[in-house]
Amino acid sequence: VQLVESGGGLVQPGGSLRLSCAASGTIFSINTMIWYRQAPGKQRELVASITSAGNIAYADSVKGRFTISRDNAKNTVYLQMSGLKPEDTAVFYCSARIRAMGALYESDYWGQGTQVTVSS
């Protein structure tokens, strides 16, 4: 099982970006999918999460600006980011709790991260 993020880049303050994270491999089911971020010199923080039932939660710092969604048919989670601020600059990681085909239990998988830089 592998998670691959895409969509990061350089954007001006106030701009928008959409991140994608696609899970691939022999997957039986995907439970919660989560976006984290880690800014330089700071701890990794949870940005947004979405369960298989569609329950969503956001960090207070991104509420009203970021939107998480998922396409279960594509095993993909998205993070639409708008109103970006310089303090949003970070490496964004996705994580998913996945039960691989043939596995008895779910495991947490991580992507490699994608850089988001907000600067003029």
Side-chain angles (χ1 to χ4, degrees):
V1 175
Q2 187 178 16
L3 298 180
V4 178
E5 299 110 333
S6 60
L10 173 64
V11 63
Q12 291 187 341
S16 299
L17 279 177
R18 189 175 86 150
L19 305 182
S20 301
C21 173
S24 62
T26 52
I27 295 170
F28 179 78
S29 63
I30 302 177
N31 196 335
T32 302
M33 305 184 84
I34 305 172
W35 285 100
Y36 291 87
R37 66 184 178 185
Q38 187 165 21
K42 295 189 177 181
Q43 290 189 330
R44 189 172 296 187
E45 64 169 342
L46 188 151
V47 176
S49 64
I50 182 168
T51 69
S52 56
N55 297 312
I56 290 172
Y58 295 101
D60 287 343
S61 58
V62 306
K63 281 181 181 176
R65 300 189 298 122
F66 291 9
T67 302
I68 190 170
S69 61
R70 63 191 283 174
D71 184 334
N72 292 326
K74 295 182 179 179
N75 290 337
T76 298
V77 62
Y78 305 96
L79 187 68
Q80 178 67 47
M81 305 184 292
S82 60
L84 283 161
K85 306 174 182 179
E87 52 263 42
D88 293 317
T89 295
V91 178
F92 282 70
Y93 300 89
C94 73
S95 176
R97 181 152 292 181
I98 296 173
R99 183 177 171 186
M101 203 71 73
L104 292 177
Y105 304 105
E106 296 173 328
S107 297
D108 291 330
Y109 294 85
W110 289 82
Q112 80 288 352
T114 185
Q115 177 71 46
V116 171
T117 302
V118 184
S119 175
S120 54

